[in-house]
Amino acid sequence: MKLVCSQSDLSTNLSLVSRAVPSRPTHPILANVLLQADEETNQVSLTAFDLSLGIRTSFSAEVIEGGAIALPAKLLLDITSRLPEGEISLDDESADNTGEGIVVTLKPKSGKYQVRAMGAEEFPELPVIESSESIQLTTAALIEGLKGSLFATSTDETKQVLTGLHLTVKQDTLEFAATDGHRLAVLETANERPLEGSEQLEVTVPARALRELQRMLAHSSSEEAVSLYLDQGQIVFAWQNQRLTSRTLEGQYPAYRQLIPRQFERQVVLERKQFISTLERIAVLADQKNNIVKISIDNENQEITLSCEAQDVGSGTESMPAQISGEDIDIAFNVKYLMEGLKELPSTEIQMHLNQSLTPVIFTPLGGLKMTYLAMPVQLRN
């Protein structure tokens, strides 16, 4: 195998795929990235696969002699990312006969690097989806949905299904839902490429895979179509010359729609950025103890007061104007959960809907995107 490519192409694509290389591989081959060069198309593809998440990307190069080889991912990325811009030639002609296996030579403008490699035949195959029918999604809809929901997934591996995001593909909308048991984010976005047929599709995908998808899509045009393929236990997202494959999560996702109250006794309209910056100041004290911030809603003065008491440290209170309907109430939240959700609500003003001090509270943007953020209040200790 012999090829010439640009340092930036090799380095950029390596850094994308190497995120699917396990930090502690169960088998030596999994610490490698599979490089395949095709002299007919002058394309080089790179694949990494940890048996759960797989990423493949490809780029153009001058392929003098085609072939495939497995290269140590971290070492290769560490070398290429530090090389100066310009052309790099890569060949494995130096496979020696001393029984020491394959050696690949990298030649930048000046210098020469040799890296021990493994045979491509040892690298595990990426899962292939048998059903050729794909669902077409737009990059813009995916990016929007992932941004507004991924943050609410659980990191607790014992709650396996909650470590994923629940995606529902309807006729012409996509619904993204994520919950960790303390909060819930649901976002609905229009899919410009309607489904053929009337059935909707539901799947729970690991958050880790979707974070990588989000990172990869950030480099694509928002008009780009993404093909989604689904088969038993596997999901594939494919676009341009990139592909991400992941196992799906088994188990019943919570019926989250039933958690959202239908009616509310109180409503508060707030300026989002002012609310967040006030919370950030109060949170300095909240961090000291248990992350709890109290919100007092005052209808007569049309304002809310945020307060926090950190034992042995001090206390803080701050008020801000609000449009309030309904009776006065005191309610408390974990400030971290509150801020994470508010930061993703894409509007200048937000609406807070609530009933009692311990029933779910809903935050929605005023106008624009259809997003619902539910946060569970916490008990105030006197």
Side-chain angles (χ1 to χ4, degrees), residues 179-184 259 261 331-334 337-338 357-363 373-379:
T179 179
D180 60 5
H182 303 285
R183 66 293 192 42
L184 162 72
L259 304 172
I331 192 162
F333 294 95
N334 177 313
Y337 289 149
L338 202 52
S357 58
L358 287 174
T359 56
V361 177
I362 303 294
F363 295 90
Y373 183 62
L374 179 154
M376 287 304 295
V378 295
Q379 186 118 32

Side-chain angles (χ1 to χ4, degrees), residues 72-340:
K74 186 176 184 310
L75 182 63
L76 193 62
L77 178 60
D78 285 350
I79 293 171
T80 50
S81 62
R82 288 168 174 80
L83 290 176
E85 280 189 21
E87 287 191 338
I88 297 177
S89 73
L90 201 139
D91 74 72
D92 64 350
E93 277 178 28
S94 56
D96 49 32
N97 302 317
T98 55
E100 291 196 16
I102 314 159
V103 175
V104 169
T105 305
L106 264 92
K107 285 186 187 161
K109 271 188 289 200
S110 57
K112 175 171 130 180
Y113 293 84
Q114 290 190 311
V115 176
R116 290 191 183 279
M118 295 172 85
E121 64 285 348
E122 290 185 57
F123 200 86
E125 292 273 334
L126 277 188
V128 177
I129 301 278
E130 294 302 331
S131 67
S132 57
E133 288 205 8
S134 72
I135 292 165
Q136 297 296 302
L137 311 174
T138 58
T139 297
L142 273 171
I143 289 174
E144 194 170 65
L146 293 173
K147 184 180 184 305
S149 56
L150 264 179
F151 69 92
T153 52
S154 175
T155 51
D156 182 353
E157 289 299 328
T158 60
K159 301 176 183 168
Q160 191 74 49
V161 77
L162 299 187
T163 62
L165 181 144
H166 194 70
L167 175 65
T168 308
V169 183
K170 302 180 190 177
Q171 187 61 43
D172 48 9
T173 57
L174 302 177
E175 186 171 280
F176 300 78
T179 179
D180 60 5
H182 303 285
R183 66 293 192 42
L184 162 72
V186 182
L187 191 140
E188 205 173 271
T189 170
N191 185 29
E192 304 297 329
R193 296 166 184 269
L195 269 189
E196 290 173 18
S198 56
E199 55 188 295
Q200 64 176 34
L201 171 147
E202 292 189 52
V203 62
T204 308
V205 188
R208 177 182 165 232
L210 293 175
R211 282 194 188 97
E212 296 313 325
L213 177 66
Q214 190 179 24
R215 205 172 260 119
M216 291 167 78
L217 287 174
H219 302 285
S220 299
S221 118
S222 59
E223 302 305 310
E224 184 79 44
V226 177
S227 302
L228 184 153
Y229 300 87
L230 194 62
D231 201 10
Q232 297 144 347
Q234 287 292 334
I235 188 166
V236 173
F237 295 91
W239 69 101
Q240 272 176 344
N241 47 10
Q242 301 190 321
R243 183 183 185 91
L244 181 140
T245 158
S246 170
R247 65 185 173 86
T248 56
L249 291 173
E250 299 297 312
Q252 187 69 43
Y253 200 78
Y256 55 88
R257 283 270 162 219
Q258 294 170 15
L259 304 172
I260 302 171
R262 296 260 172 261
Q263 289 172 308
F264 297 96
E265 297 166 19
R266 299 170 171 85
Q267 285 192 343
V268 182
V269 176
L270 296 157
E271 207 281 314
R272 185 179 74 99
K273 282 189 174 160
Q274 188 184 0
F275 190 28
I276 291 171
S277 54
T278 310
L279 278 169
E280 281 173 339
R281 290 190 289 273
I282 290 285
V284 173
L285 283 162
D287 277 344
Q288 307 289 332
K289 193 181 169 208
N290 48 14
N291 261 342
I292 289 172
V293 63
K294 180 170 102 173
I295 299 175
S296 304
I297 294 169
D298 179 349
N299 185 327
E300 189 183 341
N301 294 311
Q302 290 289 299
E303 67 175 21
I304 64 165
T305 300
L306 282 69
S307 60
C308 177
E309 283 193 39
Q311 228 170 354
D312 308 329
V313 178
S315 62
T317 70
E318 198 166 328
S319 299
M320 64 171 280
Q323 296 167 37
I324 298 163
S325 64
E327 293 174 15
D328 295 0
I329 193 171
D330 287 349
I331 192 162
F333 294 95
N334 177 313
V335 74
K336 172 179 166 281
Y337 289 149
L338 202 52
M339 287 202 297
E340 282 184 357

